[in-house]
Amino acid sequence: MTTLERPQINQTSLLGQSLSIARRNFIHIKRMPEMLMDVTIQPVMFVLLFAYVFGSSIAIPIEGGYKAFLLPGIMAQTVAFSSFIVAVGLTADLEKGIVDRMRSLPINPAAVLVGRSFSSVAHSSIGLVVMSLTGLAIGWRIHTNILEALLGYVLLVGWAFSMIWVGILVGSAMRSVEAVNGVMFATMFPITFLANTFAPTDGMPSWLRFIAEWNPISSLTQAVRVLWGNDYKLAEGAAFPMHHPIPFTVGWIVLLTATLAPLAIRTFRKRTAD
């Protein structure tokens, strides 16, 4: 091959290339372990603060009380916030020219996004493990069989995967990390609190309760509570998704992924084509 010829495209599989990029993200975390604070220190603080501050004033008539009610909700919030991490990381890579360097290599362009997806799911899974161990330490327990318990975790990881596309979409559309922080905080924070994550919805005004119970985060939280035996009797007038939380959660995961993934990929391609 002469120096004027283009190099041959690497025949390595998309999976192999994606794992290589995910490994690069893991090495980055290894060199900057403070990047794990959002899935290690922060969840422990949240679990302890909510369990002992809110738990002293909110009575939940289930075995384990408010602590059993809390853990599925705080896990749902954490996986929802995985979109925040993806958006910030992708925007930082775009700003620094790292994505351009990767695109100059003979790799599949999709590997950049797939690799980040792999590392993000692993990142969120660490948070779930940390919160589970913290919950066990303060008295939270799963009261169902192992299959239902695992299905609860599968729904949480599936939701984290769908949230990755939110992060890629926002990270590709925004031009700075500061803009990403503003947009993600202004959207994800109210969405995760305007739900049944930390308090029952039956005490809310009727219009607000309707919004909260149709919030996809509420379906996820209720589904995990049911699968783990941490649910309580629904109050009269509960919205339809609260009575069928598992199929609704699966439907939301599929719908969000199918809708946002193509849009996020298109936005990323447009951004990197500039």
Side-chain angles (χ1 to χ4, degrees), residues 27-182:
I27 292 174
H28 194 196
I29 292 174
K30 181 180 178 181
R31 292 175 178 173
M32 299 179 64
E34 61 270 20
M35 293 177 64
L36 288 176
M37 288 185 65
D38 63 302
V39 291
T40 53
I41 306 300
Q42 182 177 305
V44 172
M45 290 174 56
F46 271 30
V47 169
L48 295 179
L49 285 172
F50 277 80
Y52 291 105
V53 176
F54 284 11
S56 63
S57 57
I58 300 178
I60 304 294
I62 59 174
E63 185 177 353
Y66 184 72
K67 295 172 184 175
F69 179 88
L70 170 67
L71 261 295
I74 207 163
M75 288 184 184
Q77 184 195 52
T78 298
V79 297
F81 267 77
S82 62
S83 60
F84 203 120
I85 307 304
V86 174
V88 170
L90 181 59
T91 302
D93 284 351
L94 287 166
E95 278 188 316
K96 296 174 183 177
I98 294 173
V99 172
D100 289 334
R101 294 181 201 172
M102 291 179 181
R103 291 176 64 246
S104 69
L105 300 172
I107 64 172
N108 189 322
V112 176
L113 300 183
V114 176
R116 182 160 291 280
S117 299
F118 287 166
S119 59
S120 178
V121 168
H123 188 89
S124 299
S125 299
I126 293 172
L128 294 177
V129 171
V130 171
M131 284 183 288
S132 297
L133 294 175
T134 305
L136 290 172
I138 64 174
W140 163 77
R141 296 291 184 272
I142 293 176
H143 302 289
T144 53
N145 60 57
I146 189 168
L147 290 178
E148 289 178 309
L150 288 175
L151 181 55
Y153 282 106
V154 168
L155 289 181
L156 288 166
V157 173
W159 192 268
F161 180 76
S162 67
M163 288 295 98
I164 287 170
W165 299 107
V166 176
I168 291 174
L169 176 60
V170 174
S172 299
M174 297 294 103
R175 294 290 174 173
S176 68
V177 172
E178 292 76 15
V180 168
N181 283 327

Side-chain angles (χ1 to χ4, degrees), residues 240-256:
F240 189 72
M242 296 296 94
H243 294 282
H244 308 278
I246 298 174
F248 260 84
T249 299
V250 173
W252 273 114
I253 291 172
V254 173
L255 178 63
L256 288 172

Side-chain angles (χ1 to χ4, degrees), residues 195-256:
N196 63 354
T197 44
F198 303 115
T201 57
D202 48 273
M204 298 179 181
S206 57
W207 64 272
L208 190 61
R209 180 185 179 187
F210 177 84
I211 295 173
E213 292 184 343
W214 279 91
N215 183 342
I217 298 295
S218 291
S219 297
L220 171 64
T221 304
Q222 183 66 12
V224 175
R225 285 181 181 139
V226 169
L227 288 168
W228 290 350
N230 299 149
D231 59 315
Y232 67 106
K233 185 178 180 180
L234 294 173
E236 184 178 351
F240 189 72
M242 296 296 94
H243 294 282
H244 308 278
I246 298 174
F248 260 84
T249 299
V250 173
W252 273 114
I253 291 172
V254 173
L255 178 63
L256 288 172

